[in-house]
Amino acid sequence: MVRNPLTPEERLRGERLGELLREARGARSMVSVAASAGISAETLRKIETGRAPTPAFFTVAALAGALGMSMDELLTRCAALPERGELPLLA
């Protein structure tokens, strides 16, 4: 199966997701958050750095739960793409 290349918008959305998750993680270690979500630290690292811009739904849901975020909040914040470097504060 050949995967179609990601569009620039999909790549940007993946980078935004990574930024939001990294911001929500705060001072917590990558290892502890990944363990809470039931994923590997390497998977979380790839998502946070944008190297895995389209993670599986259940992976994102597990990370949101581990970080105390709702999927609605995550979706809303990922869909609203501000200028690079501008991140709205987490509630």
Side-chain angles (χ1 to χ4, degrees):
M1 179 171 137
V2 176
R3 182 175 178 167
N4 290 331
L6 296 176
T7 66
E9 292 80 19
E10 290 169 325
R11 287 197 179 282
L12 185 59
R13 194 170 42 241
E15 290 172 8
R16 176 77 175 137
L17 174 63
E19 290 172 2
L20 290 171
L21 293 174
R22 193 170 42 256
E23 180 184 286
R25 182 168 57 83
R28 290 176 62 186
S29 77
M30 193 175 283
V31 172
S32 70
V33 170
S36 294
I39 65 171
S40 71
E42 183 58 23
T43 297
L44 179 54
R45 184 180 341 280
K46 286 178 181 177
I47 294 169
E48 284 190 359
T49 60
R51 289 186 324 190
T54 57
F57 172 82
F58 290 105
T59 300
V60 176
L63 284 168
L67 294 168
M69 300 177 77
S70 73
M71 289 295 285
D72 286 338
E73 176 185 9
L74 198 53
L75 173 65
T76 300
R77 296 191 63 210
C78 278
L81 291 171
E83 294 298 316
R84 292 290 290 157
E86 292 180 23
L87 292 174
L89 297 176
L90 289 174

